[in-house]
Amino acid sequence: SAVISQKPSRDICQRGTSLTIQCQVDSQVTMMFWYRQQPGQSLTLIATANQGSEATYESGFVIDKFPISRPNLTFSTLTVSNMSPEDSSIYLCSVAGGSSGATNEKLFFGSGTQLSVL
Amino acid sequence: QKEVEQDPGPLSVPEGAIVSLNCTYSNSAFQYFMWYRQYSRKGPELLMYTYSSGNKEDGRFTAQVDKSSKYISLFIRDSQPSDSATYLCAIGGDYKLSFGAGTTVTVRA
């Protein structure tokens, strides 16, 4: 399984500001995924980040709000822009561990970023 | 209707008891069935993975899948306080993974 380092682990931010979350993997992976975990709710996929192409966003998530970078096969960032209290959540980076790297196989997660927006 | 339904609990059991966790799903195309364990302030950790109906054991953990009923279970035998965590089921297929909301389990010493 991949070792995934995510930072910051937590942050408290002011409304209207932006926060960039970093995700580093100890091996090269084709696809990296960003999830949001709100209290009492299931993990929700925000977007899939492929190296060398634009991220693919799920319904309800847009690039202007959650810009993603994927400069190489071991690193990705997610920015939460123009934050509001509704963005308070845990944000998780993950990579696929299956043979095909597809999203339907095993996922391994970073330790998450606990974001609180005041 | 949610694709994956999971009783959020919370569930509190004495040490040594059997913990039983369940999820139901609606999409018969789902092929992969997983259970994750998430400790407080940590990311989910893959616990069990299977792609077929039946039982799979790993130490004190047993994952059970019934595709005909669209029902999966996780059993934890001889539960320990260190098993206290949130358990999430995850079901995938057709290039999509859907998670349950998680069941919070507390094992009392």
Side-chain angles (χ1 to χ4, degrees), chain A residues 10 35 37 40-43 90 92 102-112, chain B residues 32 34 36 38 41-44 46 49 88 92-97 99-101:
Chain A
R10 59 194 303 122
Y35 281 84
Q37 186 177 30
Q41 298 187 26
S42 56
L43 270 72
I90 298 173
L92 292 154
T103 57
N104 56 339
E105 298 194 42
K106 310 172 197 178
L107 288 185
F108 299 94
F109 288 87
S111 55
Chain B
Y32 303 92
M34 286 156 265
Y36 285 83
Q38 186 174 22
R41 298 183 180 181
K42 298 288 186 183
L46 183 62
Y49 169 86
L88 305 111
D94 197 25
Y95 301 101
K96 181 179 178 183
L97 198 61
F99 287 84

Side-chain angles (χ1 to χ4, degrees), chain B residues 23-29 33 66-72 91:
Chain B
C23 286
T24 59
Y25 61 97
S26 57
N27 190 341
S28 58
F33 308 92
D66 182 346
K67 288 187 179 181
S68 62
S69 301
K70 301 191 187 70
Y71 189 87
I72 68 171
I91 305 176

Side-chain angles (χ1 to χ4, degrees), chain B residues 12-19 60 77-84 106-109:
Chain B
S12 179
V13 301
E15 184 175 357
I18 296 175
V19 176
R60 297 184 295 109
R77 292 184 299 279
D78 186 25
S79 57
Q80 305 294 310
S82 58
D83 295 325
S84 298
T106 301
V107 181
R108 308 185 306 272

